[in-house]
Amino acid sequence: MSTLPKFAANGWRRLDNGNVQHLSGLEFAPDAHERLKLVDASLSVFIRNLRHEGATEQQAERLLRKLTQQAAEQFVGLH
């Protein structure tokens, strides 16, 4: 059984499949056009985690935008 890589100090880790995952539960993958795509299944994990932490809808939306931008930066220079 393989182990997942540890999260970096910035809260992100790169998975063996090339996706990047944030400790909030969000996961992003490159699409066929080398753009960023949210892994659908990770959104429910993200929402569940934020509800557990007591985040408001507005806080969740801001965090989603921020993490999407950060994920895009994680993919820069991969190819």
Side-chain angles (χ1 to χ4, degrees):
M1 178 184 221
S2 65
T3 59
L4 290 172
K6 292 183 179 180
F7 287 101
N10 66 2
W12 291 95
R13 66 180 170 189
R14 185 168 309 282
L15 303 175
D16 290 340
N17 63 3
N19 293 359
V20 291
Q21 184 181 54
H22 188 260
L23 56 86
S24 67
L26 284 181
E27 185 174 333
F28 295 88
D31 70 7
H33 304 288
E34 296 184 10
R35 290 186 228 144
L36 191 66
K37 179 178 96 172
L38 177 65
V39 175
D40 291 338
S42 73
L43 189 56
S44 63
V45 174
F46 174 74
I47 292 168
R48 185 173 56 245
N49 288 343
L50 289 180
R51 281 186 182 151
H52 179 74
E53 294 296 323
T56 66
E57 185 176 338
Q58 292 80 16
Q59 290 170 322
E61 289 173 359
R62 282 194 306 267
L63 184 57
L64 179 59
R65 283 192 300 271
K66 179 181 175 181
L67 293 177
T68 300
Q69 177 62 39
Q70 286 182 6
E73 293 167 1
Q74 294 288 322
F75 281 107
V76 171
L78 286 181
H79 303 285

